[in-house]
Amino acid sequence: MKYLMFCMPLLLSCLPMLASAEPGLAALKVETGEDGSETYTVTIQVLMFMTALSLLPAALMMMTSFTRIVIVLAILRQALGTQSSPSNQVIIGLSLFLSLFIMMPVFDQVYEQALGPYLEEAMPAQEALQRAAVPFRGFMLEQTRDDDLMLFSNISGADEFETADDVPFSLLMPAFVTSELKTAFQIGFIILIPFLVIDLVVATLLMSMGMMMLSPMIISLPFKIMLFVLIDGWSLVMGTLAASFSA
């Protein structure tokens, strides 16, 4: 009760300031310049930034090399037969940092052409967003197959595009992801072949020896790991994945 009596005068002293405050949120304003450009207030910029962060995982999978890498590494783990080793966290971490290595030239272009001028307040947000899309568009077009572009173009009923700049992002992204899935499974198939041969040889030997109750995976696992280590498999896989994105 004593604390309540102490706080009452403080609350009463704040009432005039609350009454004189402007209704609504004064920070939510869009100012139109003399040249017709629109400038957003800090509050709206923060709101847009938080919304963009929520879409970042989807953009990571749809617009970068992450999809191809994570699928190939998952197929490699399945081919080795080690089940949960390396773990999902390790595979995602490897895929993420290898994607950063591959996408670094694109990120540098985005910073030089869009993000840097925007942070220096030399460019409005809308123009910066348009310029940031150009390096990603170039990367995605280099990795997208023409037949996949034609597939989604026919589905959408769009006309033929004269230049690559005419391809909309709504059509380019599904075509890019489809191409990445095809390439990832092709690389995964090549990786699976030598390990499949080892499994077949071990299974045939066990069948000929009458040891049908013994799982071939138990015998073939050490040989597959030994083969993978002897040929320096991790370096080969990582190097092949990085080289597969070169133009």
Side-chain angles (χ1 to χ4, degrees):
M1 188 66 179
K2 180 175 63 175
Y3 295 104
L4 181 61
M5 294 298 295
F6 176 77
C7 293
M8 284 299 293
L10 181 62
L11 294 175
L12 292 175
S13 63
C14 294
L15 289 178
M17 292 184 292
L18 296 175
S20 62
E22 295 182 5
L25 293 175
L28 296 177
K29 293 182 180 179
V30 180
E31 299 178 356
T32 304
E34 297 179 356
D35 55 351
S37 61
E38 295 181 346
T39 303
Y40 301 94
T41 58
V42 177
T43 305
I44 295 182
Q45 293 179 10
V46 171
L47 179 61
M48 295 172 62
F49 178 72
M50 297 302 295
T51 304
L53 284 181
S54 64
L55 299 176
L56 186 60
L60 178 66
M61 292 184 292
M62 297 285 287
M63 300 173 62
T64 66
S65 58
F66 182 83
T67 300
R68 182 190 304 185
I69 297 171
V70 74
I71 290 177
V72 170
L73 293 182
I75 294 176
L76 173 61
R77 182 178 64 180
Q78 187 71 24
L80 286 172
T82 54
Q83 297 184 6
S84 60
S85 180
S87 62
N88 292 332
Q89 292 83 354
V90 174
I91 289 180
I92 293 175
L94 285 173
S95 304
L96 179 61
F97 284 100
L98 186 58
S99 298
L100 290 175
F101 170 76
I102 294 171
M103 299 294 298
M104 190 56 63
V106 177
F107 294 153
D108 290 339
Q109 293 180 19
V110 171
Y111 184 82
E112 294 175 0
Q113 300 176 8
L115 184 58
Y118 173 72
L119 294 177
E120 296 174 358
E121 300 182 356
M123 182 185 300
Q126 186 175 3
E127 183 181 354
L129 184 61
Q130 294 175 354
R131 290 194 179 186
V134 175
F136 282 101
R137 177 189 291 273
F139 171 80
M140 295 167 67
L141 284 172
E142 288 178 358
Q143 306 300 325
T144 304
R145 304 167 189 260
D146 294 336
D147 54 348
D148 292 327
L149 276 175
M150 292 300 300
L151 170 65
F152 286 96
S153 176
N154 295 332
I155 292 175
S156 63
D159 299 331
E160 294 185 359
F161 305 105
E162 296 181 359
T163 61
D165 296 334
D166 298 333
V167 181
F169 257 106
S170 59
L171 190 150
L172 179 58
M173 281 194 289
F176 170 73
V177 174
T178 304
S179 297
E180 288 295 284
L181 290 174
K182 289 181 180 179
T183 305
F185 277 93
Q186 289 176 355
I187 298 175
F189 172 75
I190 297 174
I191 292 176
L192 274 171
I193 291 178
F195 299 106
L196 179 62
V197 171
I198 294 177
D199 288 333
L200 290 175
V201 170
V202 172
T204 303
L205 291 175
L206 292 179
M207 288 285 291
S208 63
M209 296 172 61
M211 304 174 65
M212 293 177 293
M213 299 301 293
L214 182 62
S215 174
M217 295 295 296
I218 300 177
I219 307 300
S220 63
L221 179 59
F223 292 99
K224 290 191 290 187
I225 294 178
M226 180 182 65
L227 173 65
F228 193 69
V229 172
L230 288 177
I231 64 174
D232 197 9
W234 286 114
S235 298
L236 289 175
V237 171
M238 293 300 178
T240 301
L241 284 173
S244 66
F245 289 96
S246 60

